[in-house]
Amino acid sequence: MKALVSVKRVVDYNVRIQVKSDGSGVVTDGVKFSVNPFDEIAMEEAVRLKEKGKVTEIIAVTIGGAKCEETLRTALAFGADRAVHVKEESEVQPLTAAQALAAVFKKEEAQLFLLGKQAIDDDANQTGQMVAALLDLPQATFASKVELEAGKATVTREVDAGLETLEIDLPAVITADLRLNEPRYLKLPDIMKAKKKPIAAFSLTDLGVTPGAGLKASKTAAPPKRSKGVVVKTVDELIAALKGKGLI
Amino acid sequence: MSKILIIGQQAEGKLSSSIAKVVSAAKLVGGDIEVAIFAKDGSGAAAEAAKLEGVTKVLQIDRAENDHGLAAIVAPQVVELAKKGYTHVFAPGTTFGKDLLPRVAAKLGAQQVSDVMAVLGPTSFDRPIYAGNAIVTVEAPAAPAVVATIRLASFQAVGSGGSAPVEKISVDVALPTHTRFVKLEAQKSERPELQSASRVVSGGRALGSSENFKVIYALADKLKAGVGASRAAVDSGYVPNDMQVGQTGKIIAPELYFAIGISGAIQHLAGIKDARTIVAINKDAEAPIFEVADFGLVGDLFTVVPELTSKL
Ligand SMILES: Cc1cc2nc3c(=O)[nH]c(=O)nc-3n(C[C@H](O)[C@H](O)[C@H](O)COP(=O)(O)OP(=O)(O)OC[C@H]3O[C@@H](n4cnc5c(N)ncnc54)[C@H](O)[C@@H]3O)c2cc1C
Ligand SMILES: Nc1ncnc2c1ncn2[C@@H]1O[C@H](COP(=O)(O)O)[C@@H](O)[C@H]1O
């Protein structure tokens, strides 16, 4: 069974984001980029499923500019067999991304699509669900456990109320939550091997995708700053301070 | 004029408390506000929705398949309904809404606005990006419809003095059988619900075990507070996943928040930006949580917290 895994290049989760003073966006020059953490988890899950003999081939896919090749090389070092680079230099919104990813999934005749539950730059949390809708496939979002059997998957999902278990028929779309697994550390030999693995390139047009009218960002602002408060020395002082503000 | 369709999340016949907040956001858009309840038997939830101030009509769509609110099953019905002249489709920013609404948006061919935190006009909204470290103002195309999830911590619930009519309707679409509900393991708790509690006490990795979390529960019980946790505490198995506060957990806006033995990583702070007052208890005076705390106390939580609990 073929598994497709999407990986997005995003600003590293440790970077303290700065908003540009003219409100046109956030500072990305000279900032560290990494693979979206949820996508690393999706990738790790695919590799584990392959190690268990449930998946036979893993294809990593990204949409973005030339620099995303790095992202694909990381996915290949994790254990993807080959990669697909959908080349697009301008920003791609979730519906457009989903249309492109759905086209790749169809073309590859894959059985399983693993994505991250959200990209930590746009925090949209949409793409996986949109891919599933466009392909009329079942979806299991926010997965914390995946078990594959013949023709179906049993997935535990992290929902507001607790843990929900669904059974879905394959082919299917699954989006990874944080506790699905802990991604492995990449070893040098794997990073070297990844350099030789093939990457196929397409444009959105090759995939038959024309971006529609998307959301237009008019202004980006920093959130209101919380001011540093006071440090109290004792529990009694804390209680007095909270009483003083009528909080207890 | 706008005609807004709100997906009325329900469970076991009860309306989710999130809907009163979604209605509040819809009122800022203005126009007709209709709440659709997809359930096996939605009478109870529909009656609750009808009372929400600002709602003009409640649609009750009863169907056995709707019992567990599965996205793949509810989405085709929402899509069919949404085509009937609605200008907006709103859902709460709960796991239910986040799972369902993009599926609807894709079928309608609309780009979704996730986590609306301010309504500036019928098609203009503020939403957080980068874990809330930047706020972007977006203009959504009016056609085919504005599809958005609402960030609950940003809106006050509307009151329940209304009396809108409830209409039972059927939405005729074939439903897939490829997705089946197996079970829900829900934590039953007597404590206030995390997302609506006015006070929340959270514990972090420093607690060290689920046994030690009792110092957090004791303080919470004294304060009649809900209980939350950092990701590290959840990952370590001290508490269940539904207690996680943060970028990928619950976003909350209590009057009073206690962060105990929590360092204050940006992903955790993303969940408490709207808390009115933050109290931090941490033994490391340099912990980043102190940069956002209104009141900080440097000390060992295992002595400070029991003392606080006993003196309250
Ligand atoms: C994509 C992504 C999403 C994430 N989403 C979330 C999220 O939603 N929510 C979340 O919380 N995290 C999230 N994280 C994780 C986050 O980055 C931090 O790792 C996590 O919040 C740390 O939890 P902590 O503060 O409990 O642990 P630590 O950072 O280990 O902090 C423990 C603190 O306890 C203090 N301490 C230790 N002993 C004592 C004592 N006896 N008394 C008092 N203080 C003591 C220490 O000084 C320290 O400050 C996410 C990470 C990623 C990459
Ligand atoms: N440009 C992209 N390239 C590769 N994967 C993407 C891209 N955009 C979104 N995705 C995938 O979709 C998931 C959810 O993204 P989002 O809906 O933007 O939060 C991500 O975790 C990725 O797996």
Side-chain angles (χ1 to χ4, degrees), chain B residues 26 42 54 60 65 85 99 102 124 147 193 230 239 242 244 310:
Chain B
Q60 185 183 341
E65 295 97 319
D99 187 36
S124 181
V147 178
E193 194 205 350
S230 71
V239 294
D242 53 300
Q244 181 174 319
S310 71

Side-chain angles (χ1 to χ4, degrees), chain B residues 10-83:
Chain B
Q10 60 84 39
E12 291 164 7
K14 288 195 61 180
L15 189 71
S16 158
S17 61
S18 63
I19 301 308
K21 297 182 177 177
V22 181
V23 172
S24 172
K27 281 175 80 174
L28 295 168
V29 173
D32 283 344
I33 302 175
E34 303 187 4
V35 180
I37 309 285
F38 298 88
K40 189 163 118 192
D41 173 5
S43 341
E48 286 180 71
K51 289 197 193 119
L52 295 177
E53 284 159 19
V55 172
T56 42
K57 199 197 303 186
V58 177
L59 304 169
Q60 185 183 341
I61 303 97
D62 286 354
R63 206 162 163 169
E65 295 97 319
N66 285 338
D67 202 15
H68 300 289
L70 303 180
I73 290 176
V74 178
Q77 303 171 64
V78 177
V79 170
E80 194 58 28
L81 193 57
K83 286 180 187 156

Side-chain angles (χ1 to χ4, degrees), chain A residues 6-8 36 39 61-63 97 115-116 118-119 122 124-127:
Chain A
S6 57
V7 284
K8 186 178 185 187
N36 182 36
D39 298 347
V61 54
T62 198
I63 308 163
L115 306 89
Q118 85 192 55
D122 65 12
N125 196 332
Q126 301 175 11
T127 309

